[in-house]
Amino acid sequence: MIEATGLTKSYGDVRVLTGVDLRVAKGGVFALLGPNGAGKTTTVRILSTLTRPDGGRVRIAGLDAVRGRRMIRRHVISLTGQYATVDELLTGEENLRMIGRLRRLSRSAARRRAAELLERFDLTEAARRRVATYSGGMRRRLDLAAGLIGAPSVLFLDEPTTGLDPRSRQALWQVIADLVTTGVTVLLTTQYLEEADRLADRIALLDGGRIVAEGTADDLKRRVAAHRLDLVLADTDAYTAAEAVLGARAVHRDPGRLTLGVPTDGDAARVRALLDEVDPTRTAVRTFSMRTATLDDVFLALTGRTAQTASPASTLTEPTGV
């Protein structure tokens, strides 16, 4: 459904994309993961025909994204941005009916489609309330419903759960999962590792304007290690000494909790050898535990930082709102 080859994009002297290649199969959820400034939003804007790339080519459902832009917009895609764009002065029902009319539906068809979507997104009871009275989660659901008025086959979601509380975020995850069962292909961008892990059939990790890894969540985790050994050190001195011994092998560091994480395949002999290396006197390690590797481990291993602690300087690689 989506094919991009060699995408490049610059804004002035700032290179945002440096050669992005993507292939998204029909159906399911494809997640584009990366820190602020990685180029996620620019990639989505290009794929959704809002921005022309400086170089490279995009095809959506077999149509060229430049020559077939009008056809793609009208019949194939929909885009929901980072923030809800519904009209707060109108009711939820009025918002959807207005979008339906803008999509050239008849009055009766727009009314029927609005009713269908309000029911699907659990907004029927609030349909005749002004959107100004809606919670953040309700607004996001309404915004997503508006994007489905035209029954698109490809839906772009740019950081759809930004600013939502955990309960609202999980509710929206369920909505997205339900959409996929109807045959819609979803490409979403996110900074939330749990979101990508929970929703995506395939994940591409974007960093510095290029794809640095792609695969299923399990595939990406196996690139780092099947498991992670977390060591809780006895005190600050023990933590500092262990950190020096492990060096770059430590993919997780939490000085506040005196915890270091090290990739491992789970083999008992290698775990014992690692413990002996870090704590030969058997006094430095207070406790240890094994855990399954996470996407955060992948992120750190491939980009040199966690998603939650992306360098502020990285925002310079992508202008605000791009």
Side-chain angles (χ1 to χ4, degrees):
M1 292 300 287
I2 302 171
E3 183 177 10
T5 306
L7 295 185
T8 61
K9 185 66 180 178
S10 297
Y11 293 92
D13 295 331
V14 179
R15 299 187 68 191
V16 180
L17 302 181
T18 59
V20 170
D21 298 318
L22 280 178
R23 291 177 64 88
V24 179
K26 184 177 181 179
V29 179
F30 188 99
L32 196 57
L33 185 66
N36 285 332
K40 301 188 303 296
T41 298
T42 294
T43 300
V44 168
R45 288 183 62 85
I46 291 173
L47 297 178
S48 60
T49 76
L50 293 179
T51 299
R52 290 196 181 193
D54 296 335
R57 186 178 182 184
V58 176
R59 297 184 70 82
I60 307 294
L63 299 170
D64 183 89
V66 175
R67 294 193 298 270
R69 180 175 61 177
R70 183 172 297 179
M71 182 70 71
I72 290 170
R73 289 182 176 183
R74 182 171 296 178
H75 299 292
V76 181
I77 68 171
S78 182
L79 167 66
T80 297
Q82 295 181 16
Y83 304 100
T85 56
V86 288
D87 191 327
E88 295 187 352
L89 298 180
L90 301 179
T91 66
E93 181 182 27
E94 288 169 342
N95 266 278
L96 296 187
R97 290 173 62 180
M98 176 183 67
I99 297 298
R101 294 293 287 154
L102 291 173
R103 296 283 301 186
R104 302 183 180 181
L105 297 180
S106 67
R107 291 182 184 277
S108 58
R111 184 165 49 250
R112 286 195 302 272
R113 185 62 174 156
E116 291 171 4
L117 290 169
L118 288 166
E119 182 176 2
R120 178 190 292 187
F121 288 87
D122 195 24
L123 291 169
T124 300
E125 292 185 3
R128 298 189 177 182
R129 281 170 41 195
R130 287 177 54 188
V131 173
T133 68
Y134 283 20
S135 67
M138 293 171 68
R139 293 185 193 198
R140 292 301 288 164
R141 297 205 307 275
L142 181 65
D143 198 37
L144 189 53
L148 295 174
I149 286 287
S153 53
V154 177
L155 179 62
F156 295 100
L157 301 177
D158 190 14
E159 301 193 10
T161 59
T162 294
L164 296 185
D165 61 79
R167 184 183 298 273
S168 296
R169 183 176 299 135
Q170 290 194 13
L172 195 59
W173 288 350
Q174 186 58 54
V175 168
I176 294 170
D178 291 343
L179 278 177
V180 174
T181 65
T182 68
V184 177
T185 299
V186 176
L187 186 147
L188 66 86
T189 72
T190 182
Q191 295 183 69
Y192 298 117
L193 299 166
E194 182 187 2
E195 187 161 275
D197 209 351
R198 170 87 171 264
L199 292 176
D201 303 295
R202 290 188 67 81
I203 299 168
L205 178 56
L206 186 67
D207 188 46
R210 63 188 183 90
I211 302 295
V212 297
E214 184 181 338
T216 66
D218 288 341
D219 289 340
L220 295 178
K221 292 171 188 176
R222 281 194 292 268
R223 288 187 59 170
V224 177
H227 302 281
R228 194 177 86 188
L229 177 66
D230 282 353
L231 308 174
V232 179
L233 285 305
D235 51 40
T236 302
D237 290 341
Y239 177 90
T240 302
E243 186 176 32
V245 169
L246 293 171
R249 287 180 291 169
V251 297
H252 173 74
R253 292 175 171 84
D254 188 343
R257 297 183 179 180
L258 300 176
T259 302
L260 293 168
V262 188
T264 175
D265 60 6
D267 180 79
R270 279 188 277 274
V271 169
R272 283 194 294 268
L274 182 60
L275 289 169
D276 288 340
E277 180 187 3
V278 172
D279 187 10
T281 64
R282 301 191 177 184
T283 59
V285 176
R286 180 184 302 160
T287 62
F288 68 88
S289 59
M290 293 288 294
R291 52 171 289 177
T292 302
T294 67
L295 285 179
D296 203 21
D297 299 327
V298 175
F299 208 102
L300 178 60
L302 297 178
T303 71
R305 61 189 183 277
T306 65
Q308 289 80 8
T309 57
S311 168
S314 68
T315 58
L316 296 177
T317 65
E318 187 175 7
T320 302
V322 175

